[in-house]
Amino acid sequence: MKWLFIDHEYHKRTGSAKFFLDIVRKSFSVDEHYYNRYYRTQAEKVAADYDGVIIWEFPISRNKFFFRGKKNVFVPMYDNEWASYWQWMRIAWSGMGVISFCDKVTEHAKRCGVKNILDVRYFPNPSDFPQEEGESKRVFLWERGDISENTVKKLFPPESGYTFDVKKGNEFLSCEEYLSRIAACEIVVAPRRKEGIGMAFLEAMAMGKCVVAHNDATMNEYIKDGVNGILFDADRPIAIAESQVLSVRSNIHESKHQLYGAWLDDMKKICDFIFTQKPCAPSLSNRLKILLSYPMFLIEGVCYKIKANLKKEAFK
C-alpha cells in the first residue's frame, strides 16, 4: 500500500514529523510531498498514484480538504486554529481518519461529530538524550515570542540567585549545542503558550529537567503541576517556590519513563489505524453539507484572525 505524506517544508527542516514517518514506514511505502504556502499544497498534482494520503497539520486547501476515493488521514495540531467548529464538522462529514496528539483537539473533534479518530500521546526516548544534572538554579528559555525573558524573571527572580541561559529566536544552534545548553540547566521554561505536540518541552522532560510551562495544551496534558513539572499563568506570572522545583526533580525521572512506556503502547496503534481506513466516499447529503457549510467556515476563519490580531495588540 502506497501512501503520500503531505507537510509544510518548514517541518522538513526541523524534522519534527520524522518520528511519525519512521513509524509509518515500518508498515507502508511512503513518499513525501512538501509545500511552502499554507492551504496551497499543489498535492492534487502528485497524489494520483497513491492509495492514501497523510495530511500533517494543515488541510491541503480550504475548499478541497480531502481526496475523494482515497484513504485520508489527517494529523491536526492544537496550535493552529483547531478550535474551529465548521472545519471539524466538514471533517466529520468527509469520513476521513484523524490521528490526534492532543486531548483538547480530540475532545473538540468528537463534539463536532468526528468518530473516526485515534488519540495518542508522543514522548521521546530518554535514552536518546543527555541525562546530566545541571546547575540547580540555572534556567533555560528558548525565546520564540510567546514567553519572554521578563516573564521568566518574574517566575525565578535573579535576586533569589537564579541565572539564565536564553536562546534567542534567531540564534542558530546545532542539535548537540542546543542539548548541551539545556543539560547545563536544571530548569527549562517551555517556549510557547500552546503546542501541537511540543518537542522542545518534551525533550527537556526526557532529559530529566524541571519543565515550567504555561497552563494550556499540550503541556498540561503531560505535566502534573508540582509533581513532574510546574504550570503557571503566562498572563499573571508569580514567583515559583524553590520547594516546588525540588519536588519535581525528585519525581521526573520515574515520570519520564512512565510517559515513554505509554507512548510505546500508543505507537503500536498508529499503523493499525492507518491500515483500517476506508477510501473517503461521503454520501450525497454529506457532500451537500460540506458544500453549503463552506461560507460559514470562511467567516469563522476571518473571525479567528481578527480575534488573534486583537489579542496580539493587547499584549504589546
Side-chain angles (χ1 to χ4, degrees):
M1 188 180 293
K2 290 178 63 180
W3 286 80
L4 181 66
F5 179 81
I6 302 168
D7 191 10
H8 193 279
E9 65 178 14
Y10 177 76
H11 297 138
K12 186 178 183 180
R13 297 197 299 272
T14 62
S16 55
K18 183 180 180 300
F19 79 94
F20 185 87
L21 280 166
D22 288 345
I23 293 167
V24 177
R25 284 200 167 107
K26 291 177 182 177
S27 299
F28 306 104
S29 170
V30 182
D31 289 335
E32 300 165 44
H33 171 74
Y34 291 95
Y35 58 90
N36 57 20
R37 296 188 69 185
Y38 298 118
Y39 302 109
R40 298 185 184 182
T41 66
Q42 305 298 312
E44 298 91 339
K45 297 178 181 179
V46 294
D49 296 331
Y50 294 89
D51 302 298
V53 292
I54 298 170
I55 304 162
W56 188 269
E57 189 164 5
F58 286 96
I60 53 175
S61 74
R62 286 186 172 87
N63 183 17
K64 183 182 176 184
F65 61 96
F66 70 99
F67 294 90
R68 279 185 64 194
K70 291 186 182 295
K71 299 184 177 190
N72 287 251
V73 174
F74 178 46
V75 187
M77 295 292 151
Y78 172 61
D79 56 337
N80 280 306
E81 303 182 37
W82 294 114
S84 164
Y85 173 77
W86 287 104
Q87 179 70 318
W88 278 109
M89 292 287 286
R90 297 165 84 223
I91 288 169
W93 292 326
S94 76
M96 65 196 304
V98 176
I99 298 177
S100 170
F101 285 89
C102 173
D103 281 339
K104 209 165 181 179
V105 170
T106 301
E107 290 166 6
H108 180 71
K110 287 181 176 178
R111 284 195 298 270
C112 294
V114 176
K115 296 177 181 177
N116 187 14
I117 187 166
L118 174 67
D119 186 69
V120 294
R121 207 65 66 244
Y122 171 72
F123 196 82
N125 186 349
S127 66
D128 290 339
F129 298 92
Q131 299 295 318
E132 303 164 22
E133 188 170 325
E135 293 180 35
S136 62
K137 285 196 166 185
R138 189 165 179 80
V139 183
F140 181 87
L141 169 68
W142 179 4
E143 198 172 42
R144 297 172 64 183
D146 282 359
I147 306 296
S148 70
E149 184 176 356
N150 286 337
T151 297
V152 172
K153 286 182 177 178
K154 290 177 182 177
L155 300 173
F156 301 101
E159 57 268 26
S160 296
Y162 291 99
T163 58
F164 307 90
D165 181 355
V166 180
K167 176 189 178 303
K168 297 298 182 181
N170 59 357
E171 180 184 0
F172 174 78
L173 294 175
S174 69
C175 181
E176 291 76 15
E177 290 171 324
Y178 172 70
L179 294 177
S180 176
R181 280 172 61 172
I182 291 179
C185 304
E186 203 55 29
I187 302 166
V188 176
V189 179
R192 302 176 67 192
R193 286 174 174 252
K194 57 182 180 179
E195 289 285 3
I197 294 177
M199 296 296 181
F201 86 87
L202 291 176
E203 288 175 355
M205 288 184 77
M207 292 172 70
K209 304 303 177 181
C210 173
V211 172
V212 180
H214 175 61
N215 189 7
D216 199 354
T218 58
M219 292 81 72
N220 61 11
E221 295 177 3
Y222 291 88
I223 293 173
K224 295 179 181 177
D225 188 29
V227 179
N228 64 348
I230 298 170
L231 299 171
F232 73 97
D233 183 347
D235 294 326
R236 288 172 285 276
I238 58 174
I240 291 170
E242 190 175 349
S243 59
Q244 288 181 278
V245 176
L246 292 172
S247 176
V248 170
R249 288 174 63 189
S250 66
N251 294 322
I252 185 60
H253 295 287
E254 180 182 357
S255 178
K256 69 186 179 184
H257 292 295
Q258 290 174 344
L259 288 166
Y260 180 60
W263 164 240
L264 291 178
D265 291 335
D266 278 354
M267 190 194 309
K268 298 169 187 173
K269 303 172 187 175
I270 290 175
C271 288
D272 288 342
F273 180 80
I274 292 172
F275 183 80
T276 57
Q277 292 305 300
K278 296 177 181 177
C280 281
S283 65
L284 177 59
S285 63
N286 280 348
R287 294 206 302 273
L288 283 171
K289 289 175 186 176
I290 290 170
L291 178 65
L292 294 173
S293 65
Y294 183 56
M296 300 303 296
F297 163 61
L298 292 180
I299 292 169
E300 184 180 48
V302 170
C303 292
Y304 175 89
K305 287 184 178 178
I306 292 172
K307 207 171 170 183
N309 287 335
L310 288 173
K311 193 173 182 181
K312 195 180 290 184
E313 288 297 320
F315 280 118
K316 283 184 178 180

